[in-house]
Amino acid sequence: MTDVFDQLVGQPDAGATLRAAAAAGAAVLRGETVGAGAMTHAWLFTGPPGSGRSVAARSFAAALQCTDQAAGPGCGHCTGCHTTLAGTHPDVRLVVPDGLSIPVALMRELVMRSATTPANGRWQVLLVEDADRLTEAAGNALLKAVEEPPERTIFLLCAPSDHPDDISVTIRSRCRVVPLRQPAAEAVSALLVERDGVDPRTAAWVAAAAQGHVGRARRLAGDAQARDRRAAVLAVPRQLTGVGACFDAASALIEAAEAEAAAAVAEADAAERAALEMALGAGGTGKGAAGAARGIAGQLKDLEKRQKSRATRAQRDALDRALLDLAGFYRDVLNARWGGPVSPVHADTAALAEAAGQRWTAESTLRRLESILACRTAIDANVKPRIAVEAMMLELWRG
């Protein structure tokens, strides 16, 4: 890695903006005067899933904390860069929500801590991934800090867009926005070949199948189970032969998402529970053991509540990945029907998409694609996933 911004895939404009801002930030620390707007205290990174919002924010945080700037901020090898990217820098607070929302208590605590003097004399950085999950009260707590920022505190927020549905207008108005775009499949493929050693043919296939999502492409390249789950999703259109088959397909999709989510959080859940029990002296004997056990029960209940919220979030994320794969298939059908000049998303099912394009009208295919997008919207609005997916499957069958 030449510098920390090399991690940004297909984002030349954002990379140039952040490099210039990090250089201006270093000049401020040296007591130099910089131009208006060259560096600011609040940043909002926007873009679709997989565009690298959090990567861009972490890279910028690393550049701000870089201690070896001979070739410019963000060398990628100094202690400041390394610890920031690893999530262990004492002056960088990371908020990575694993539940459905970011509570106000957590935000207040982090805002207070971020207002302290930097330990290394550079910056205090508060980085909030998925800032669109802030509760209203948490957003208000953050807004107060952004409106009256401490001298050496930088706020980095990540959200899908700067629309009021994702981030409040007042917070947005106080941030400099860094828009990111979905990277081209060619850029993702090149990254997988150069950084992860994936063979070029596999890299090209998974980059297209992941629809520009770098993490998803890497997972497909290295995880056979992820490829099997994708294949099962792409088999759904052939399975919708009647009403009963629609409900069976919906159940299979929901159960697969639940199983994937359970496997993803199981290790973390067990480790958290064991650590809490050890910290609270579970299994102890002697005087006071019974009282300690009662105290443990309450805290374990709180932990289980948080873990349940994380599991729900993981299930929805897994289901959303499946829905995007399914949408990609119907996009390929439309492309085949109209003879579009673009490459298919799912090269391994291109023949099936072409056959479907000959049977279905363009209007019915578009209705099917819209039903998938409507299902995603419904789930995001807290409709029970099973109900939303069953309704979608019926629409896919009817056309």
Side-chain angles (χ1 to χ4, degrees):
M1 180 171 63
T2 304
D3 65 33
V4 295
F5 295 110
D6 286 345
Q7 299 183 93
L8 295 179
V9 181
Q11 313 289 349
D13 294 339
T17 297
L18 296 175
R19 281 191 175 91
V28 169
L29 294 178
R30 292 193 299 268
E32 300 173 10
T33 301
V34 299
M39 179 59 186
T40 186
H41 71 284
W43 297 76
L44 175 61
F45 298 84
T46 64
S51 59
R53 299 186 303 254
S54 61
V55 172
R58 288 182 186 235
S59 297
F60 186 41
L64 292 173
Q65 304 293 11
C66 181
T67 57
D68 180 5
Q69 303 193 11
C75 66
H77 57 75
C78 72
T79 301
C81 289
H82 179 73
T83 55
T84 299
L85 296 177
T88 58
H89 195 290
D91 294 330
V92 179
R93 319 290 181 188
L94 300 176
V95 184
V96 185
D98 51 19
L100 297 177
S101 63
I102 301 174
V104 63
L106 173 61
M107 186 50 58
R108 284 174 178 162
E109 176 189 352
L110 289 166
V111 165
M112 290 181 63
R113 292 176 62 190
S114 66
T116 59
T117 302
N120 69 353
R122 299 189 67 80
W123 304 97
Q124 281 282 6
V125 179
L126 177 59
L127 195 165
V128 184
E129 295 188 10
D130 298 318
D132 53 307
R133 297 191 201 174
L134 288 164
T135 63
E136 183 178 357
N140 290 336
L142 177 61
L143 173 61
K144 183 173 178 60
V146 172
E147 286 180 327
E148 302 172 3
E151 183 180 359
R152 289 288 185 87
T153 299
I154 306 294
F155 299 92
L156 308 179
L157 314 178
C158 305
S161 74
D162 59 0
H163 189 277
D165 287 346
D166 289 328
I167 197 80
S168 76
V169 174
T170 47
I171 292 178
R172 155 62 182 96
S173 67
R174 288 159 176 79
C175 295
R176 182 173 177 181
V177 179
V178 180
L180 303 175
R181 61 193 180 191
Q182 179 176 305
E186 294 78 11
V188 176
S189 175
L191 177 72
L192 294 177
V193 172
E194 295 171 8
R195 189 170 71 184
D196 300 322
V198 180
D199 71 87
R201 183 174 181 179
T202 300
W205 169 66
V206 297
Q211 302 179 60
H213 194 303
V214 178
R216 171 76 165 149
R218 185 180 293 111
R219 190 159 44 244
L220 285 173
D223 186 347
Q225 290 185 337
R227 294 193 292 272
D228 291 342
R229 287 191 293 267
R230 171 183 168 276
V233 170
L234 295 180
V236 165
R238 302 194 301 274
Q239 298 169 351
L240 303 180
T241 57
V243 174
C246 290
F247 285 100
D248 289 342
S251 293
L253 197 61
I254 295 293
E255 290 167 5
E258 290 174 348
E260 181 180 350
V265 302
E267 185 175 347
D269 285 355
E272 285 178 349
R273 185 181 181 93
L276 179 60
E277 290 177 342
M278 180 177 293
L280 296 175
T285 59
K287 294 181 178 180
R294 287 192 294 271
I296 290 172
Q299 296 199 44
L300 285 177
K301 186 175 181 180
D302 290 342
L303 175 63
E304 289 168 358
K305 183 178 179 180
R306 294 196 302 271
Q307 290 180 342
K308 183 178 180 181
S309 177
R310 177 167 60 198
T312 300
R313 182 76 253 172
Q315 289 170 16
R316 292 192 180 185
D317 289 345
L319 182 57
D320 194 61
R321 287 192 291 270
L323 293 176
L324 286 174
D325 283 339
L326 198 56
F329 173 79
Y330 288 101
R331 176 266 197 195
D332 287 347
V333 175
L334 277 176
N335 187 45
R337 175 79 185 183
W338 284 333
V342 296
S343 301
V345 171
H346 302 299
D348 49 340
T349 58
L352 295 174
E354 291 178 6
Q358 294 174 1
R359 297 194 310 271
W360 300 339
T361 65
E363 292 78 6
S364 68
T365 304
L366 187 58
R367 284 195 298 270
R368 289 179 168 98
L369 182 57
E370 289 175 340
S371 73
I372 299 173
L373 302 181
C375 179
R376 296 183 68 210
T377 301
I379 293 173
D380 194 50
N382 286 326
V383 173
K384 286 190 176 296
R386 184 172 294 275
I387 294 174
V389 173
E390 287 175 351
M392 178 196 73
M393 291 296 184
L394 290 171
E395 291 296 325
L396 293 178
W397 171 55
R398 294 190 189 105

